[in-house]
Amino acid sequence: MAKIILEQEKCIGCGTCQALCPKYWKMAEDGKAVMISEEGKEEKVEMEVKDISCNKDAADSCPVQCIRINDRNS
């Protein structure tokens, strides 16, 4: 399992996370990123995932580095 942590207050709403990983990310009405859990529920701050999947690409590409991944498998 891995924990994805979003520091939403740092988000500038560029949409890169959603473009790279739409299964797990979308833009909220306030223009900031919101995580989508594997069950389809919106998460604001953090979530657990079995596979980091495209979340690594989203974190690496975020221009303000507001997405962190704590991967317990590595």
Side-chain angles (χ1 to χ4, degrees), residues 7-72:
E7 295 178 72
Q8 195 179 39
E9 67 281 355
K10 290 183 180 179
C11 178
I12 60 171
C14 73
T16 301
C17 54
Q18 180 180 352
L20 293 173
C21 197
K23 178 180 176 181
Y24 289 100
W25 296 92
K26 72 176 191 175
M27 302 311 290
E29 289 181 15
D30 66 0
K32 295 189 176 228
V34 177
M35 296 180 282
I36 305 167
S37 72
E38 292 173 335
E39 295 81 31
K41 182 179 149 196
E42 281 189 20
E43 304 288 344
K44 294 275 186 189
V45 180
E46 61 184 51
M47 70 178 169
E48 297 275 337
V49 294
K50 294 176 185 146
D51 177 19
I52 61 172
S53 181
C54 54
N55 285 298
K56 175 112 174 69
D57 294 333
D60 290 344
S61 299
C62 178
V64 293
Q65 300 296 292
C66 66
I67 302 168
R68 291 184 291 131
I69 299 173
N70 292 339
D71 189 358
R72 297 181 201 126

